[in-house]
Amino acid sequence: MTSAHRSAYLLERAWVDGAVLDDVLVEIEDGRFTAVTPGTSRPDDKASSSQREFHRPADETHRLPGLTLPGLANCHSHAFHRALRGRTQRERGTFWTWREQMYGVAGRLDPDSYFELARATYREMAAAGITSVGEFHYLHHQPDGTPYDDPNAMGHALVAAAGDAGIRIGLLDTCYLSSGFGRPPEGAQVRYSDGDAVRWAERVAGLEAEPHAAIGAAIHSVRAVPRDQLTTVVEAAGGGPLHVHLSEQVAENDACLATYGATPTQLLHDAGALGPRTSAVHATHLTGADITHLGSTRTRACFCPTTERDLGDGIGPGRALAAAGAVLTLGSDSHAVIDLLEEMRALELDERLATQQRGHWTAAELLAAGTAHESVGFADAGVIAVGRRADLVTLDTTSTRTAGTGADEATAVFAAGAADVTHVVADGRVIATRDDHEDIGRELAAAIERVHR
Ligand SMILES: [Zn+2]
């Protein structure tokens, strides 16, 4: 084996052990932190003595001014929805009318165009400081429902796209079998269905983890997976991540009650689908009993506030879920916005709108929700600490948005945005800097134009 890949950064300020510390020297070898040393004296900028000072003559120590956070985790993504940004917002209607527009894009993609669109979208994520994405993937087959020669061609396109963009992907391969309660898939949905959960599981068994890719499972929703198929998906997920859209819409709750006499949460609980490895996405319209079930099983609740407001979904009971024992995570879902800092503050600010009270979440709690890499299969990421995956997201603390805000965790959560991210490292490699923004914009425009052509 050739010599290990090493690098070192001197961070002006960094979020380490639940506090912002000054002058943190981090050393990295083979993608992991090997040393994290706060209070390291600032090397003389003019002299090259800094390298001798750290006894690493072979390595370069890069200074990163600003505030550095751990890598951010985008726990709920549908990459292709990025092609809808700005094109659906002017329409009146509901979640259900938006869904028709989304299905239009879903019907046109093939493995090549999906790879291009996903790579551009993941590069936008990288530039926003996202180092892991949970991709809730249901666009499996050809437009008429026939499998591709490689039945996982679309999933493989997503894994390759993430690799090219430099981010990790938790590929949450999604079981989708019915259009609604008791209705077969129709229109674009025939691309999503494997026929039954056993055939879904057989196809998913052909996917293999890679260093940057974890394989997980998803139940699209209780309307898309009949009750008698749920346990097959739960068992196939094994010990890995299991995600499910839950109670995003009142209409889904009503139809579930009419069909089964139970809420979607109750149905999932009865199928053994809840627990710490499970992420319930949205969890917006819940009963008190639902909250108790999700909390007592330590299920994760993945809120997607910028999508939920874009689609008019409602405001979920975030604080009540946390008080009951659930763990909050965050996702950009439809990518109306890709900015995890915005998702973090929205968790707090939406709760203020709902309660007319301020101060529900601390900045530290919001940062934890924005770095929940374990929920998409990367338990060894999300903190700047020895032995963990070496991810670093550096924010400009002197921008028009952040100047004068204190350069601490409140700056990150309540002042900064994705445009303030200057430098991003994932698994020890630089994956984006501010200089990349123009190039990423061009790539996004080309990929999206191809989809709408
Ligand atoms: Zn979703």
Side-chain angles (χ1 to χ4, degrees):
M1 191 177 163
T2 53
S3 63
H5 182 259
R6 292 178 178 181
S7 54
Y9 294 92
L10 183 59
L11 312 174
E12 184 186 16
R13 287 165 76 67
W15 181 249
V16 177
D17 281 340
V20 171
L21 305 179
D22 291 322
D23 301 319
V24 180
L25 176 69
V26 295
E27 295 168 73
I28 297 168
E29 195 169 322
D30 288 338
R32 292 186 184 260
F33 294 115
T34 54
V36 177
T37 316
T40 303
S41 60
R42 208 181 289 269
D44 181 345
D45 283 339
K46 291 202 179 72
S48 58
S49 63
S50 62
Q51 284 140 9
R52 284 190 293 278
E53 188 179 329
F54 302 127
H55 311 292
R56 308 188 71 79
D59 300 333
E60 211 180 327
T61 298
H62 306 275
R63 278 202 64 208
L64 287 175
L67 172 63
T68 297
L69 306 174
L72 307 179
N74 188 358
C75 299
H76 190 64
S77 162
H78 306 283
F80 74 91
H81 292 194
R82 176 62 179 82
L84 297 167
R85 185 188 298 174
R87 295 169 181 265
T88 61
Q89 273 78 9
R90 72 196 80 179
E91 309 289 338
R92 287 183 65 83
T94 64
F95 169 88
W96 307 100
T97 52
W98 166 84
R99 195 179 70 155
E100 288 309 309
Q101 299 171 305
M102 182 268 281
Y103 280 2
V105 172
R108 288 195 289 277
L109 290 164
D110 60 32
D112 285 343
S113 58
Y114 202 11
F115 168 79
E116 270 186 27
L117 178 56
R119 183 176 63 180
T121 304
Y122 294 154
R123 286 190 73 198
E124 180 183 354
M125 290 187 196
I130 292 161
T131 53
S132 296
V133 63
E135 180 65 35
F136 198 103
H137 167 54
Y138 51 80
L139 203 49
H140 302 305
H141 305 300
Q142 298 184 53
D144 67 354
T146 309
Y148 289 102
D149 290 343
D150 166 11
N152 287 306
M154 295 294 251
H156 286 140
L158 292 165
V159 168
D164 265 24
I167 69 172
R168 295 181 295 270
I169 182 171
L171 184 69
L172 307 164
D173 196 294
T174 304
C175 186
Y176 191 115
L177 304 172
S178 57
S179 176
F181 297 90
R183 297 214 321 268
E186 51 195 47
Q189 295 165 347
V190 300
R191 303 194 73 172
Y192 312 165
S193 177
D194 293 290
D196 61 41
V198 169
R199 276 181 279 174
W200 165 84
E202 286 168 359
R203 180 179 52 73
V204 174
L207 289 163
E208 286 180 14
E210 296 181 30
H212 80 287
I215 306 302
I219 294 163
H220 180 276
S221 56
V222 295
R223 64 189 144 80
V225 180
R227 177 165 62 183
D228 63 1
Q229 306 279 305
L230 289 171
T231 44
T232 303
V233 183
V234 172
E235 282 165 12
L242 174 65
H243 287 223
V244 53
H245 287 134
L246 179 69
S247 294
E248 179 178 9
Q249 291 290 319
V250 173
E252 173 180 322
N253 287 356
D254 292 345
C256 187
L257 278 165
T259 306
Y260 298 119
T263 65
T265 300
Q266 182 70 50
L267 211 63
L268 293 171
H269 186 256
D270 292 348
L274 303 183
R277 70 188 172 138
T278 298
S279 291
V281 181
H282 302 300
T284 307
H285 301 286
L286 303 177
T287 66
D290 292 341
I291 293 170
T292 301
H293 278 321
L294 292 164
S296 65
T297 54
R298 299 287 184 268
T299 299
R300 295 169 201 276
C302 182
F303 277 32
C304 306
T306 66
T307 290
E308 288 150 8
R309 73 192 186 200
D310 183 60
L311 296 178
D313 290 340
I315 299 170
R319 196 67 250 186
L321 279 164
V327 177
L328 271 286
T329 67
L330 293 165
S332 69
D333 189 5
S334 69
H335 313 313
V337 174
I338 294 179
D339 187 343
L340 259 287
L341 302 168
E342 174 67 23
E343 305 292 347
M344 287 181 211
R345 67 178 152 265
L347 197 55
E348 165 66 20
L349 300 181
D350 286 357
E351 197 97 39
R352 292 183 189 183
L353 289 172
T355 62
Q356 302 174 54
Q357 298 276 327
R358 308 177 84 233
H360 302 275
W361 300 90
T362 65
E365 288 174 316
L366 296 172
L367 280 168
T371 52
H373 297 260
E374 68 278 9
S375 74
V376 295
F378 300 100
D380 49 358
V383 291
I384 299 173
V386 172
R388 298 300 194 99
R389 289 177 181 262
D391 294 358
L392 300 168
V393 178
T394 303
L395 303 176
D396 183 351
T397 51
T398 63
S399 76
T400 50
R401 289 163 295 276
T402 58
T405 60
D408 60 12
E409 65 270 30
T411 294
V413 170
F414 291 111
D420 296 309
V421 173
T422 57
H423 191 274
V424 184
V425 173
D427 290 331
R429 292 194 305 131
V430 179
I431 61 166
T433 72
R434 221 180 223 175
D435 294 340
D436 297 323
H437 288 195
E438 262 184 58
D439 183 50
I440 296 170
R442 274 193 298 270
E443 189 174 324
L444 280 161
I448 292 169
E449 193 196 330
R450 177 174 174 183
V451 171
H452 290 286
R453 207 180 291 150

